[in-house]
């Protein structure tokens, strides 16, 4: 089946550091989405990207839609303890069952105060 | 508060029990989804409903039976489950099939 390769699998960082994670695919997507999941909760949408090359920010979070449409990046600047959680990328194509989201396995972020 | 409410939050059941999971969305969305989330695996899409009609069954065993009585409510009926069915079951909704999905907090299901 279709797969997204999300990396790194986990990160342990110091509070205040910047964080980068990415997703790659062998297929192109029309939309890239980034979600965060806290323990005991469902994924929450952080950023949605709709155009190749697009760079979008949400507070300290910045995500980019890769120019090849096969990858996406998420950066978190000046991390804080509440950034802890699992971050998921998801790609989507338009039309029929291709409208389904394909998820990465997640990046688990741990922040040391 | 995501606008997607799932009940119960936790469920423990034996393999011969019958139970149902409920999802309600207050967002006015037209598409609803069931996902299964297991440890160390990507989210697995189970079912898709668009305007109350099931448009996708992702090769899900018949012991899982979805029901969508209206655009705001989605159920997952469970019967004769197996231990490997223990997982977090997430409901999501979106305005249309090609728009971002919003998730509920899930039902943590444990099969004894």
């Amino acid at each position: 089946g279709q797969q997204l390769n999300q990396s790194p699998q986990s990160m342990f960082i110091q509070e205040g550091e910047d964080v980068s994670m990415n997703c790659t695919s062998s297929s192109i997507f029309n939309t890239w989405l980034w979600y965060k999941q806290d323990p005991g909760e469902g994924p929450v949408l952080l950023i949605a990207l709709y155009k190749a090359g697009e760079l979008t920010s949400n507070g300290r979070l910045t995500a980019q839609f890769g120019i090849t449409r096969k990858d996406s990046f998420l950066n978190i600047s000046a991390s804080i303890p509440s950034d802890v959680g699992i971050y998921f990328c998801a790609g989507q194509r338009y039309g029929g069952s291709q409208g389904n989201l394909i998820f990465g396995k997640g990046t688990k972020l741990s922040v040391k105060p | 508060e995501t606008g997607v409410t799932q009940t119960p939050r936790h469920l423990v059941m034996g393999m011969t029990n019958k139970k149902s999971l409920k999802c309600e969305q207050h967002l006015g969305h037209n598409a609803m989804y069931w996902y299964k989330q297991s440890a160390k695996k990507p989210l697995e899409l189970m079912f898709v409903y668009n305007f109350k009609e099931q448009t996708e069954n992702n090769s899900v065993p018949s012991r899982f039976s979805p029901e969508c009585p209206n655009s705001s409510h989605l159920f997952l009926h469970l019967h004769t489950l197996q231990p490997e069915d223990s997982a977090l079951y997430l409901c999501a909704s979106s305005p249309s099939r090609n728009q971002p999905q919003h998730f509920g907090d899930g039902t943590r299901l444990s099969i004894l």
Side-chain angles (χ1 to χ4, degrees):
Chain A
Q2 301 169 72
Q3 284 190 354
L4 293 184
N5 298 310
Q6 185 171 351
S7 65
Q9 190 173 356
S10 62
M11 301 182 75
F12 298 85
I13 62 169
Q14 195 77 32
E15 182 178 358
E17 290 183 355
D18 296 343
V19 173
S20 291
M21 59 191 79
N22 69 83
C23 270
T24 61
S25 171
S26 58
S27 306
I28 62 173
F29 288 103
N30 297 109
T31 300
W32 281 96
L33 306 171
W34 285 93
Y35 289 87
K36 182 193 178 196
Q37 187 172 22
D38 291 328
E41 299 183 12
V44 174
L45 181 65
L46 298 174
I47 294 178
L49 303 159
Y50 300 100
K51 189 177 175 182
E54 178 182 353
L55 188 71
T56 297
S57 294
N58 178 3
R60 293 177 295 104
L61 278 62
T62 301
Q64 184 161 25
F65 193 140
I67 198 73
T68 65
R69 297 171 62 193
K70 294 182 179 181
D71 56 7
S72 180
F73 305 84
L74 177 70
N75 296 314
I76 305 173
S77 62
S79 58
I80 59 178
S82 61
D83 290 333
V84 164
I86 302 178
Y87 292 80
F88 293 97
C89 63
Q92 186 178 40
R93 300 186 194 86
Y94 297 154
S97 63
Q98 295 188 75
N100 298 337
L101 292 181
I102 309 299
F103 283 88
K105 289 186 177 181
T107 295
K108 185 176 182 179
L109 179 63
S110 301
V111 179
K112 186 177 180 182
Chain B
E1 181 63 46
T2 66
V4 181
T5 303
Q6 290 187 243
T7 54
R9 292 296 312 278
H10 302 273
L11 179 62
V12 179
M13 57 187 286
M15 289 193 287
T16 58
N17 290 158
K18 288 185 182 180
K19 295 286 184 183
S20 296
L21 310 185
K22 179 182 176 182
C23 176
E24 182 176 2
Q25 57 99 358
H26 312 275
L27 302 169
H29 291 172
N30 294 308
M32 296 188 76
Y33 313 79
W34 279 116
Y35 287 86
K36 176 183 180 183
Q37 187 175 37
S38 304
K40 300 186 179 179
K41 294 172 85 173
L43 270 74
E44 300 173 57
L45 179 66
M46 300 174 70
F47 300 103
V48 180
Y49 278 81
N50 198 26
F51 292 95
K52 300 188 299 177
E53 298 297 321
Q54 186 181 136
T55 59
E56 192 135 351
N57 174 340
N58 205 22
S59 302
V60 181
S62 60
R63 56 186 185 269
F64 294 91
S65 174
E67 178 190 1
C68 188
N70 55 62
S71 292
S72 299
H73 293 85
L74 186 64
F75 294 89
L76 187 62
H77 303 300
L78 315 173
H79 176 50
T80 320
L81 295 193
Q82 304 299 309
E84 62 265 26
D85 296 324
S86 297
L88 181 68
Y89 288 84
L90 290 163
C91 172
S93 70
S94 62
S96 69
R97 285 286 280 119
N98 290 332
Q99 291 180 273
Q101 295 172 25
H102 298 262
F103 288 82
D105 286 334
T107 295
R108 174 67 63 185
L109 178 65
S110 299
I111 306 300
L112 301 178

